[in-house]
Amino acid sequence: MTHTPAPTALKAKHRALWALGDYPDVAATVIPDLGQALVEACTVSEGDRVLDVAAGSGNASVPAALAGAEVTASDLTPELLEAGRARAEADGVSLTWEVGDAEALPYPDASFDVVMSCVGVMFAPFHRVAAGELLRVARPGARIGLLSWTPDGFIGRMFATMKPYAPPPPEGAQPPPLWGDETHVRELLGEGVADLSAVRRTVTVDGFATPEAFRDYFKACYGPTIATYRGLDQDRAAALDEDLATLARGFDEGGGVMRWEYLLVTTRRA
């Protein structure tokens, strides 16, 4: 499968964005169970050759390795892979950590038994290209598992809230939460897969005592939020402060408990 890769400058920008703040802490303390949920949905077992695309700091890669799989964790941002290596060492598991672009994966066709991504590949800007790469590296019959934030869930709404404050996306780029729309994912994968299942689930987030605490944590730790604030003057930053706190307030079920919706897609390579 051939395609025109995104400009190097755009890749460098995305790499730098995810190095901002402390995404490994977000993965480890805010959404620690998502990777395990994806690994279980993909029925990862001993001996499977697994590729975790846009793996970040290994939220799904490490649980897959703990299940006995031969895991390659691929991500555009080296800083995230370094954090993943440290986590894997602490957990006593060995896996391969490699810098790789989800839109141009550095692996031969039909290389893996499981290809998965936990709130990762959804952030590659050109969805059709990324989907083509997921299919290309999966062997016939391989399991494919994708866990993505939905457009109407909390994180999808957060990106919609930040959009008016952020620079325009690259021409042709699609919003990340579209990967959380079943119709969109089915269209992307098309006849390349069979037996596709898509279920909406929620993860409970209860680490923020107030809406303002959530906002301030994401301003400090979450790359896309940090990048959005960087271009704002004082008044616009104050307006975004209020908009993000209002969003969190609307999802608060009491005592700071929120439920963030995601779409879990499991399928197999045709």
Side-chain angles (χ1 to χ4, degrees), residues 2 40 76 95 174 213 238 244:
T2 60
E40 291 176 0
L76 193 63
L95 54 153
Q174 293 179 290
L244 288 175

Coordinates of all heavy atoms in Angstrom, one line a residue, residues 2 40 76 95 174 213 238 244:
T2 N 0.6 2.2 -0.9 CA 1.5 3.3 -1.0 C 0.6 4.6 -0.6 O -0.6 4.6 -0.8 CB 2.0 3.5 -2.4 OG1 0.9 3.7 -3.3 CG2 2.9 2.4 -2.8
E40 N -7.5 -7.5 27.0 CA -8.5 -8.6 27.2 C -9.5 -8.7 26.1 O -9.8 -9.8 25.7 CB -9.3 -8.3 28.5 CG -8.4 -8.4 29.8 CD -9.1 -8.1 31.1 OE1 -10.3 -7.7 31.0 OE2 -8.5 -8.1 32.1
L76 N 5.4 7.8 18.0 CA 6.1 8.8 17.3 C 7.0 9.6 18.3 O 8.0 10.2 17.9 CB 5.1 9.8 16.7 CG 5.5 10.9 15.7 CD1 6.1 10.2 14.5 CD2 4.4 11.8 15.3
L95 N 9.9 -6.0 26.4 CA 9.2 -5.8 25.1 C 10.1 -4.9 24.2 O 11.0 -4.3 24.7 CB 7.8 -5.3 25.2 CG 7.6 -4.1 26.1 CD1 6.3 -3.4 25.6 CD2 7.3 -4.4 27.5
Q174 N -8.5 15.0 10.1 CA -9.8 14.7 10.7 C -9.8 14.7 12.2 O -8.7 14.4 12.7 CB -10.4 13.4 10.1 CG -10.7 13.4 8.7 CD -11.2 12.1 8.2 OE1 -10.4 11.1 8.1 NE2 -12.5 12.0 7.8
A213 N -9.8 21.5 39.5 CA -8.7 20.6 39.7 C -8.4 19.8 38.4 O -7.2 19.6 38.0 CB -8.9 19.6 40.9
A238 N -8.4 32.9 30.1 CA -9.4 32.9 31.2 C -10.7 32.3 30.7 O -11.4 31.6 31.4 CB -9.6 34.3 31.7
L244 N -13.6 25.0 30.2 CA -13.2 23.6 30.6 C -13.7 23.2 32.0 O -14.2 22.1 32.2 CB -11.6 23.5 30.6 CG -11.0 23.5 29.2 CD1 -9.5 23.5 29.4 CD2 -11.4 22.3 28.4

